[in-house]
């Protein structure tokens, strides 16, 4: 009988996270965020699981390794493994029922991670100084002297980061409604510092 999708998902994703963060013999438990934050101790434990998974040859070995690599942040390699024919080896046990559903969910998550990483890289490239430039400072400007159109041209359109000081309240014309009306569909991240 094929395993349920939930049980396969626990094996592919939940159990490895529990093994990394739960500690083992002589190892203290780690907060789950230590894995998210890529802290050294969590990554070391995850690397041990990856090493073991690379030597396994069972019907879920490809999906298991892809899940671990995805947790490690190696999304492209994880996707390559899932898309390789050997990830589906093992006949009906690996491709039927719950295993197929859990593997499809894993692939969907990894595809989204790859797309997010590509999108983030392009945003960072736009906001970064040109290659070879040593100027990576964030400009600090006084809010009292800012003109909205000049601000949009100088900072928002090229995606340059800026710190705006001296505005205890939004200066006239800087309320969200006015900014939307003037800047239309331009997008820029805002962060209160």
């Amino acid at each position: 009988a094929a395993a349920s999708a939930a049980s396969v998902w626990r094996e592919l994703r939940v159990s490895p996270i529990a093994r990394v963060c739960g500690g083992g013999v002589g190892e203290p438990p780690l907060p789950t965020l230590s894995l998210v934050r890529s802290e050294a101790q969590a990554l070391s434990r995850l690397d041990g699981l990856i090493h073991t998974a690379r030597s396994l040859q069972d019907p879920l070995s490809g999906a298991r390794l892809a899940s671990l690599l995805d947790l490690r942040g190696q999304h492209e390699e994880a996707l390559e493994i899932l898309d390789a024919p050997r990830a589906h080896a093992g006949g009906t046990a690996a491709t039927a029922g719950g295993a197929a559903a859990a593997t499809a969910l894993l692939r969907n998550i990894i595809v989204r991670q790859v797309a997010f990483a590509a999108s983030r890289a392009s945003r960072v490239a736009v906001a970064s100084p040109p290659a070879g430039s040593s100027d990576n400072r964030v400009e600090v400007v006084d809010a009292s002297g800012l003109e909205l159109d000049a601000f949009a041209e100088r900072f928002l359109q090229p995606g340059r980061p800026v710190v705006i000081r001296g505005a205890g309240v939004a200066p006239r014309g800087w309320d969200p409604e006015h900014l939307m009306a003037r800047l239309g569909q331009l997008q820029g991240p805002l962060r209160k510092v």
Side-chain angles (χ1 to χ4, degrees):
S4 73
S7 67
V8 175
W9 185 252
R10 279 191 295 276
E11 181 180 345
L12 293 179
R13 201 60 160 205
V14 178
S15 179
I17 292 171
R19 284 195 298 263
V20 167
C21 298
V25 178
E27 293 180 323
L30 301 172
T32 305
L33 280 178
S34 64
L35 184 57
V36 174
R37 293 180 182 138
S38 297
E39 293 176 4
Q41 195 170 14
L43 293 181
S44 175
R45 292 178 186 180
L46 186 57
D47 288 342
L49 293 176
I50 290 170
H51 178 74
T52 301
R54 287 191 190 278
S55 65
L56 296 176
Q57 296 298 320
D58 62 53
L60 287 175
S61 61
R64 186 180 300 110
L65 178 58
S67 179
L68 293 168
L69 290 169
D70 180 57
L71 289 171
R72 184 69 166 90
Q74 295 171 282
H75 312 297
E76 292 86 4
E77 184 180 355
L79 192 55
E80 287 173 15
I81 289 170
L82 276 183
D83 288 345
R86 73 179 175 90
H88 307 290
T92 59
T95 57
T103 302
L105 174 61
L106 177 63
R107 186 179 190 289
N108 189 322
I109 290 169
I110 295 171
V111 165
R112 288 177 185 226
Q113 289 284 11
V114 170
F116 176 76
S119 172
R120 182 179 187 280
S122 72
R123 287 190 316 267
V124 167
V126 167
S128 297
S133 171
S134 62
D135 186 14
N136 59 359
R137 296 171 289 176
V138 174
E139 191 170 342
V140 178
V141 296
D142 181 26
S144 65
L146 280 180
E147 293 293 328
L148 186 57
D149 293 330
F151 172 80
E153 183 179 323
R154 188 167 164 198
F155 297 105
L156 193 58
Q157 289 172 347
R160 288 184 53 211
V162 62
V163 174
I164 303 171
R165 300 227 176 185
V169 295
R172 190 170 52 89
W174 281 79
D175 56 278
E177 293 79 18
H178 186 81
L179 289 172
M180 286 298 296
R182 294 282 305 273
L183 300 176
Q185 297 301 314
L186 291 176
Q187 293 184 1
L190 299 176
R191 183 178 65 188
K192 187 174 182 178
V193 184

